[in-house]
Amino acid sequence: MTKKGRARADAFSSLLGGLPVTTDAAQGVPLDQIRVRPGQPRRYFDDGALDSLTESVRQQGILQPVLLRPVTGGYELIAGERRLRAARQAGLNEIPATVREVSDEDVPLLAALENLQRQDLNPLDEVEAILALTAQELQVPTSEVVPLLHAQRRAPDPDTVARLDAVFSRLGRGTWTSFAANRAGVLRFPPDLLTLMRSGQLEYTRAAALARIKDDALRQEWTQRALKEGLGVREITAAQRSGGSALTSRTQRVRKLMDDRRIAALGRREQTRVQKLLEELETLLGGPQDTD
């Protein structure tokens, strides 16, 4: 585990260790007594990955207990929804669980901290978890965190800055100023990009480049091309600077292909065809004509 990962795990364990324990060890809890809390940090579950985990559960069982708290009529899940889903798919009747007495105020904090320990955390889930933790620490609604961060960048209050520094140091996710400048803006991305990010199909860097294409139709066109052709940030940025024209992009790609050595490596038939196409293109664009 990395140093940052250990810091997040220590923060989670520290908070968890300070909560009242209802049992000394993990216990088997019937699945039909567990309900999932609305607003869980993880919203997207890859079907293939979930199927793989389900098969692992069938063969080896649940290796890490889920975290629950007792509520009226049963238990509420705090952390481990993916394991809970796999257990249900695998046909289990119960699941090993650690049960803690957790206040309503601490539930989002524990869920977010546990979520940040995941290896497959996508950028959008990461941002939302960090916002939840920061809101908890500063005792403000989550919707007010980003405006507050920008306000502190403009006119810092020493006490607030110290609390923000402490939160981000504990999370091991860089500084709050960097987060405000570079990451928090992801929440303003178009919904179609957010959906792709949440599902793991599009990483932050390419999504950010696509978000700068303001024309919806062009952005969606380039989004599909980015996914199908594996276009990188450089190509997407070039499209944004040129107004996103597909024709402009194709022109650029053809220019890169127009290499004498590449053409010389073709067969005679292909070379003849390239020559004819070049002649047609030259005529169409009104270029100089051969007079020989």
Side-chain angles (χ1 to χ4, degrees):
M1 182 181 292
T2 65
K3 183 177 180 180
K4 291 181 179 180
R6 285 194 299 270
R8 292 191 294 277
D10 290 345
F12 178 77
S13 300
S14 176
L15 178 57
L16 185 62
L19 298 173
V21 185
T22 61
T23 57
D24 292 332
Q27 62 184 89
V29 175
L31 295 180
D32 59 7
Q33 293 185 20
I34 302 173
R35 72 187 192 201
V36 177
R37 179 178 61 88
Q40 284 284 91
R42 186 166 193 161
R43 302 181 192 177
Y44 176 82
F45 296 85
D46 180 81
D47 289 339
L50 188 58
D51 289 343
S52 177
L53 179 59
T54 299
E55 185 58 32
S56 174
V57 167
R58 289 193 182 104
Q59 295 181 16
Q60 304 180 48
I62 300 292
L63 302 181
Q64 180 182 359
V66 299
L67 178 61
L68 308 175
R69 69 168 179 165
V71 294
T72 303
Y75 301 88
E76 184 177 74
L77 181 74
I78 298 175
E81 185 174 359
R82 188 163 167 266
R83 277 162 278 159
L84 179 63
R85 289 184 178 219
R88 286 174 171 160
Q89 282 192 184
L92 302 186
N93 295 318
E94 62 178 33
I95 189 170
T98 300
V99 181
R100 294 285 194 275
E101 294 284 354
V102 184
S103 68
D104 291 342
E105 292 74 23
D106 282 337
V107 167
L109 183 62
L110 271 172
L113 275 172
E114 199 271 348
N115 198 44
L116 285 173
Q117 295 181 61
R118 284 174 26 219
Q119 295 298 314
D120 61 343
L121 187 67
N122 71 57
L124 187 55
D125 284 347
E126 177 183 6
V127 166
E128 291 176 338
I130 290 174
L131 290 179
L133 290 167
T134 306
Q136 176 80 2
E137 176 66 26
L138 300 182
Q139 294 297 295
V140 299
T142 304
S143 60
E144 294 181 12
V145 172
V146 174
L148 183 148
L149 294 178
H150 289 308
Q152 290 303 309
R153 292 177 67 205
R154 294 190 298 269
D157 169 70
D159 180 61
T160 303
V161 167
R163 293 167 70 185
L164 288 170
D165 287 342
V167 170
F168 279 78
S169 176
R170 179 173 60 175
L171 294 178
R173 278 300 203 266
T175 66
W176 65 269
T177 52
S178 175
F179 175 80
N182 303 313
R183 290 287 179 174
V186 68
L187 300 176
R188 297 194 300 271
F189 286 4
D192 56 311
L193 296 182
L194 294 180
T195 298
L196 291 170
M197 290 179 67
R198 200 181 297 283
S199 66
Q201 298 179 68
L202 192 65
E203 68 278 10
Y204 173 82
T205 51
R206 289 198 296 170
L210 288 164
R212 287 192 288 270
I213 300 177
K214 301 306 179 184
D215 183 280
D216 287 346
L218 284 173
R219 186 191 68 254
Q220 291 173 11
E221 174 190 341
W222 277 91
T223 298
Q224 292 305 309
R225 289 193 55 196
L227 295 173
K228 292 178 180 178
E229 301 175 26
L231 300 183
V233 172
R234 182 176 299 177
E235 291 88 352
I236 296 169
T237 301
Q240 187 266 334
R241 289 173 178 170
S242 66
S245 167
L247 181 60
T248 300
S249 173
R250 177 162 291 178
T251 302
Q252 293 171 343
R253 295 204 310 275
V254 170
R255 282 200 187 108
K256 292 179 181 179
L257 296 173
M258 292 302 298
D259 179 83
D260 288 343
R261 286 175 297 179
R262 186 189 296 267
I263 296 174
L266 297 174
R268 179 172 298 180
R269 180 179 298 178
E270 287 79 11
Q271 288 185 23
T272 301
R273 187 179 177 192
V274 168
Q275 183 63 33
K276 289 182 178 179
L277 289 172
L278 288 173
E279 290 173 356
E280 290 178 14
L281 182 62
E282 193 175 48
T283 300
L284 182 63
L285 296 178
Q289 304 295 311
D290 239 333
T291 56
D292 291 345

